[in-house]
Amino acid sequence: MLVLAIETATIVSSVAVAEDGRLLSEVTAAAKLTHSETLQPHIKQAMEMARVKREDIGAVAVSLGPGSFTGLRIGLAAAKGLAYAWGVPIVGVSTLESMAADFPVPGACIVPLIDAQKGNAYMACYEYGKNGLEEVKKVEVVSLDEVVSRCGAMSKNVILCGDMVKKSAGRELPSNMVIAPFTHVLPRAATVASLALERLSKGEEDNVMNLEPVYIRRSEAEVLWEKRHPEAEL
């Protein structure tokens, strides 16, 4: 089955076309352009590079977050629109899980970190076990100092990836912690496609009508509104 995958949870705009065990095309850019500017051209380019037409696509996959609220909304809206128009299944994939999946290192803890603003990060922990990639610590919002403290206290090696690792540059990290190279720091649509294909092989898919982004925290707009309208709080 051919899958069109979309990744817009961070500054990266990434679109891929893949099938079981084979990546046909991927367009990935971390330019300082909005996803509303880049996503549709990237979808068109990825499909042209893969030499596939809309009728060849069997499913649409999309990164659900956590991450940039605006980026997630743009990516999911595009994915849902395509899946509905083409009449194909849609599959949502955790952004943090897709990032961790790029590091099949048994015995290590993979910790993806995505910017959650104000010096905080969305953090989760994954390990490769007998059943493949396993989530050992659910996503939460923590400060970067807390990330370093927690990971430094672990008894195993820790691999950090994600857009927050650049803020670790210059810090003296514990000896058990390493930062992924820049080529593997940010999420990719190819990995989103790979995880989606795994779900589809098990007969799993999501409902195009009620699939929602994974935000974890409230937006700054919501927090500001509540501060200005305290009488509206229940």
Side-chain angles (χ1 to χ4, degrees):
M1 175 186 292
L2 285 175
V3 170
L4 174 73
I6 294 171
E7 169 58 72
T8 57
T10 67
I11 190 175
V12 172
S13 174
S14 184
V15 179
V17 177
E19 59 184 355
D20 296 327
R22 185 183 176 202
L23 176 63
L24 301 182
S25 68
E26 183 179 35
V27 179
T28 300
K32 293 182 178 180
L33 297 172
T34 65
H35 291 303
S36 58
E37 294 176 275
T38 60
L39 182 56
Q40 292 301 330
H42 286 173
I43 291 173
K44 180 180 180 181
Q45 186 179 0
M47 292 182 65
E48 288 177 346
M49 290 170 60
R51 297 183 179 180
V52 298
K53 299 178 180 179
R54 54 180 290 180
E55 55 265 28
D56 299 321
I57 302 297
V60 176
V62 61
S63 178
L64 293 179
S68 161
F69 284 26
T70 301
L72 291 173
R73 286 193 288 265
I74 291 172
L76 184 57
K80 293 175 77 169
L82 292 175
Y84 183 80
W86 295 348
V88 298
I90 188 169
V91 179
V93 172
S94 162
T95 305
L96 296 174
E97 181 182 359
S98 72
M99 294 167 66
D102 282 333
F103 299 91
V105 184
C109 185
I110 305 100
V111 179
L113 303 171
I114 292 181
D115 194 354
Q117 305 300 318
K118 298 183 178 180
N120 296 318
Y122 298 110
M123 170 190 177
C125 299
Y126 296 84
E127 293 180 9
Y128 268 89
K130 294 181 179 179
N131 298 317
L133 188 65
E134 300 176 354
E135 183 184 62
V136 296
K137 184 69 175 178
K138 292 186 177 298
V139 58
E140 56 186 321
V141 178
V142 298
S143 69
L144 191 55
D145 287 340
E146 182 68 13
V147 171
V148 174
S149 175
R150 291 188 188 184
C151 293
M154 292 182 182
S155 60
K156 56 185 62 180
N157 291 329
V158 177
I159 302 172
L160 300 179
C161 60
D163 60 5
M164 278 293 283
V165 299
K166 63 184 178 183
K167 297 186 179 181
S168 299
R171 284 173 174 256
E172 185 174 347
L173 297 177
S175 59
N176 68 321
M177 296 172 63
V178 295
I179 295 177
F182 76 91
T183 53
H184 288 71
V185 165
L186 297 172
R188 293 178 52 195
T191 315
V192 173
S194 176
L195 294 178
L197 284 165
E198 287 183 19
R199 287 194 60 197
L200 288 165
S201 69
K202 300 174 184 177
E204 300 175 2
E205 61 181 78
D206 293 302
N207 188 323
V208 70
M209 295 301 178
N210 60 25
L211 186 61
E212 297 290 339
V214 177
Y215 290 131
I216 304 300
R217 66 173 181 83
R218 293 178 300 164
S219 69
E220 290 301 314
E222 290 175 306
V223 173
L224 182 60
W225 191 90
E226 288 186 359
K227 287 182 179 180
R228 291 178 175 177
H229 303 84
E231 71 282 357
E233 295 184 14
L234 297 178

